[in-house]
Amino acid sequence: MRTPAVMIVGLVLCPCGLLLTLTGTLAPNWRQVSLIPDQPSDLILEQGIWDLCRERQSSHDRLCGQEDELGYFKEVPVQVARGLMPSSLVLTVLGLVVAALGVRCWQKEPQHALAGASGLVLLLSGLLSLVPASWYTHELEVLPAPSGATLTVGYSLVLSYLGSCLEILGGVALTLSFHHCCKERRASKTPPSPVLEHGTRSITGAYSNPWDVLEDERDGRRGRSTLPCDSDL
């Protein structure tokens, strides 16, 4: 049996989403702070959920591990992202393991129920990573930053968004495997229709054309014809 298309789509999108989400979680670039007053014009402060970095664009000198003088890490959106992003990564890995066992490309028949369950897990993991990314974006201008500086979205936040969407799409695709499972259950509950032998009629005494009457009389398939014969006169 060929692997269903929905399972292939799920197994392609979810690992890609895992890589993007992992990069977005670890990279310290959820927000960029530039044009800071009383600082060089080419200085950029990169803020993530785990680290703070300073970079000079002219010389590309990058220094991480900066002190959090403004209380950035104490903000609720950052704390929520610290909790939900790793949880999403763990759920994604767990969902991919269950999906591999359910799809079973190396065997003839996949386990549709197990593949559908993995889709629910991957869908949940995508939502878990989408919530902190959306909340952080909503509070982007409110989070502590030097006054008068320019705030922009960092690439880590964008990658987190893309990874979350891919995981959600892949989870939905795998969840569609439940449809095939339901079809199998309906087919098992439906009694098989009786198979008529060749040459017999489904309804006694019903003929589709006059030639069937003569054929039945000739072959003796009926005890007696429904039409009068010479012997009945």
Side-chain angles (χ1 to χ4, degrees):
M1 180 180 179
R2 297 178 58 184
T3 304
V6 290
M7 294 184 180
I8 297 176
V9 171
L11 289 180
V12 170
L13 294 181
C14 290
C16 295
L18 174 62
L19 293 177
L20 293 177
T21 306
L22 178 62
T23 305
T25 302
L26 298 179
N29 200 325
W30 281 51
R31 185 177 71 168
Q32 289 186 350
V33 182
S34 58
L35 301 179
I36 304 174
D38 301 330
Q39 295 291 338
S41 59
D42 61 342
L43 178 65
I44 294 180
L45 177 62
E46 299 176 351
Q47 298 174 326
I49 60 176
W50 307 105
D51 199 2
L52 299 176
C53 299
R54 299 169 64 94
E55 182 178 1
R56 297 288 298 271
Q57 289 184 327
S58 58
S59 59
H60 297 287
D61 292 336
R62 184 183 179 90
L63 182 61
C64 295
Q66 300 295 312
E67 294 184 3
D68 184 18
E69 299 176 354
L70 300 176
Y72 167 80
F73 290 127
K74 296 180 181 180
E75 295 296 321
V76 176
V78 180
Q79 293 292 330
V80 171
R82 281 184 166 188
L84 292 184
M85 294 302 289
S87 302
S88 173
L89 294 174
V90 173
L91 274 181
T92 303
V93 174
L94 177 62
L96 288 176
V97 173
V98 177
L101 297 176
V103 174
R104 296 195 307 174
C105 301
W106 60 90
Q107 296 187 11
K108 293 183 179 180
E109 293 290 337
Q111 296 183 4
H112 297 278
L114 196 58
S118 69
L120 294 178
V121 175
L122 291 168
L123 178 61
L124 178 60
S125 68
L127 293 176
L128 284 180
S129 58
L130 183 62
V131 168
S134 302
W135 193 359
Y136 190 97
T137 304
H138 184 265
E139 301 290 336
L140 185 71
E141 301 290 338
V142 182
L143 295 175
S147 59
T150 302
L151 306 177
T152 56
V153 175
Y155 69 86
S156 298
L157 188 58
V158 177
L159 293 181
S160 300
Y161 262 117
L162 293 178
S164 302
C165 294
L166 290 181
E167 290 176 3
I168 291 174
L169 293 177
V172 171
L174 286 171
T175 306
L176 294 178
S177 302
F178 281 128
H179 176 67
H180 192 280
C181 185
C182 295
K183 289 175 61 178
E184 290 180 349
R185 290 186 177 181
R186 290 178 182 175
S188 61
K189 293 181 179 179
T190 304
S193 58
V195 180
L196 300 178
E197 296 182 359
H198 179 69
T200 60
R201 304 295 187 272
S202 59
I203 303 177
T204 305
Y207 296 94
S208 59
N209 55 69
W211 297 104
D212 293 340
V213 181
L214 299 179
E215 184 179 352
D216 283 346
E217 289 292 336
R218 185 179 308 166
D219 298 339
R221 293 178 182 173
R222 287 180 176 269
R224 183 174 182 181
S225 173
T226 56
L227 296 181
C229 300
D230 294 339
S231 59
D232 297 335
L233 297 177

